Amino acid sequence: MSTIAAKSSYALTKYKRLPGTVSIIVCGHVNHEGITGFFRELLHEDHGAVSLHAVVLHPERPSQHMKALLDSPRYAGSITYLEGSPMNSKDLFRAGANSAAALFVLTNTSSESHEMEDAAAMLNTMAMKRHVFQRTGLDIAAYVQLILPESKRHFAATHSNHMSLSLICTEELKLNLLALSCTCPGASTLIHNLVASERIGTENVWEELPDGSTVMLDGDFHLHRLDPPEGWTEPELPERYRLPST
């Protein structure tokens, strides 16, 4: 009895997926302030009317920031936090891994040992995929954040079904965007605005342009009219404004 009493409610809770709900599992580096941006994008209404529920599986109890996120009216019904390990089959069963649509594994890019952080992400991914495959025969889709490019190559070489594994290397992505910005200034900002569903701290406002016309600036998009420079003909515009291929 004393052992049960010593456990937190997060270590005893079992997630039960509701009919019509699509569940995913999120693990790794989740107890930090930046996780808000991840869930803001993941659960944004622009992604469709899918009833998505995120199950966070982490060995430690939630941080104060995570507790505030769980209590937020915006996410209270869309996020469940479970204290447990992705390496433990019992915890994966509690998280409903067998019926989950996908796995998301996040890493701590500020970690002193990037190799250890990537190794933990790869082990967690393999353990969860093996658990689901042994019980359902399905190769669940996994989206894994890695830090080092060599970790991405090593992990991809050990996985036969690349269709179910998406590896995102933060350092590689960062350097590619920097290189693209050198050849096409502003390209990284453009890409960010295209892939980000929401921008924090902005409201819908109307702004008057120098020519007297108005555009609406909202939290999702900035709408502007682009007039061709003097001397350019219309057929030249697509070629001149085209971003260089990577």
Side-chain angles (χ1 to χ4, degrees):
M1 291 297 293
S2 60
T3 303
I4 297 177
K7 289 188 176 181
S8 69
S9 59
Y10 300 102
L12 302 174
T13 303
K14 178 182 176 181
Y15 169 69
K16 295 182 180 180
R17 186 174 64 86
L18 298 176
T21 301
V22 178
S23 65
I24 63 167
I25 296 179
V26 182
C27 66
H29 186 55
V30 298
N31 278 328
H32 63 103
E33 294 184 4
I35 195 65
T36 304
F38 172 81
F39 284 120
R40 185 185 301 117
E41 181 67 37
L42 179 70
L43 302 172
H44 197 275
E45 58 185 6
D46 283 358
H47 298 315
V50 178
S51 181
L52 187 65
H53 195 99
V55 181
V56 179
L57 186 62
H58 194 269
E60 300 176 358
R61 299 185 182 187
S63 63
Q64 291 300 320
H65 183 81
M66 176 59 73
K67 287 182 178 179
L69 191 67
L70 296 172
D71 294 336
S72 169
R74 182 174 182 177
Y75 303 111
S78 302
I79 303 175
T80 297
Y81 190 99
L82 300 181
E83 184 181 341
S85 171
M87 306 288 289
N88 189 313
S89 292
K90 292 182 178 179
D91 292 333
L92 290 173
F93 179 76
R94 287 172 49 229
N98 295 353
S99 59
L103 310 172
F104 287 81
V105 183
L106 308 179
T107 56
N108 181 10
T109 56
S110 301
S111 172
E112 295 182 357
S113 177
H114 291 173
E115 292 83 359
M116 293 293 293
E117 196 70 24
D118 283 350
M122 290 187 284
L123 288 174
N124 286 335
T125 304
M126 289 188 291
M128 290 187 288
K129 289 177 73 69
R130 182 174 64 249
H131 170 90
V132 174
F133 183 78
Q134 290 176 347
R135 286 155 180 80
T136 66
L138 300 176
D139 192 10
I140 188 171
Y143 301 88
V144 188
Q145 178 190 18
L146 298 173
I147 304 175
L148 302 175
E150 50 266 33
S151 300
K152 178 181 175 181
R153 291 192 294 269
H154 294 160
F155 197 12
T158 61
H159 197 77
S160 57
N161 187 4
H162 295 282
M163 295 297 293
S164 66
L165 182 65
S166 297
L167 303 176
I168 299 94
C169 177
T170 53
E171 288 298 317
E172 183 180 58
L173 181 61
K174 185 191 306 181
L175 292 176
N176 284 340
L177 286 175
L178 286 174
L180 179 60
S181 296
C182 291
T183 58
C184 183
S188 59
T189 303
L190 174 62
I191 293 173
H192 175 269
N193 289 340
L194 290 175
V195 301
S197 299
E198 185 172 11
R199 192 171 297 173
I200 303 305
T202 58
E203 299 178 353
N204 293 345
V205 295
W206 288 91
E207 182 174 296
E208 184 174 348
L209 299 182
D211 61 359
S213 61
T214 58
V215 294
M216 185 180 74
L217 305 180
D218 62 18
D220 295 333
F221 299 100
H222 281 212
L223 305 177
H224 289 279
R225 191 184 68 197
L226 184 62
D227 294 323
E230 185 178 354
W232 284 21
T233 60
E234 216 171 290
E236 291 181 293
L237 293 180
E239 181 66 24
R240 297 231 186 181
Y241 284 122
R242 180 177 62 84
L243 294 178
S245 57
T246 57

